[in-house]
Amino acid sequence: RVNTIDAIWLQEPKTVDEEKHSAFYKYVSHMHDEPLSTIHFRMDAPLDIKALFYIPSFHQEKYGMGRMEPGVSLYSRKILIEAKSPDIL
């Protein structure tokens, strides 16, 4: 198995608990804190969209950790299409 963590954005939002969200957030963000807020939703008309957004609990640049470019990663059928796409935000 290549991936060590499941694609939780494909799961029903009601079935994903805070522990799974926390583990996934730490995996994709390489952070050790908990997310301040999580937005997990599904929409199926006219397109089938599954989205998962995490809002970090602190501002990394404030503590001298370097500038991070904002962006949203785009996946299609569990395959990364574009990492931190500047055109989505």
Side-chain angles (χ1 to χ4, degrees), residues 28-56:
V28 298
S29 67
H30 306 291
M31 299 297 292
H32 301 287
D33 63 327
E34 301 293 323
L36 178 68
S37 183
T38 301
I39 302 169
H40 187 183
F41 70 93
R42 297 178 79 161
M43 183 174 62
D44 63 356
L47 300 172
D48 185 24
I49 296 174
K50 298 166 187 79
L52 183 57
F53 293 98
Y54 292 110
I55 299 170

Side-chain angles (χ1 to χ4, degrees), residues 3 5-13 16 21 24 28 40-42 49-52 54 75-80:
N3 293 332
I5 197 160
D6 291 332
I8 64 171
W9 68 88
L10 295 176
Q11 298 175 11
E12 190 66 35
V16 181
H21 275 299
F24 190 76
V28 298
H40 187 183
F41 70 93
R42 297 178 79 161
I49 296 174
K50 298 166 187 79
L52 183 57
Y54 292 110
Y75 288 82
S76 178
R77 297 183 183 175
K78 297 185 187 179
I79 298 172
L80 178 63

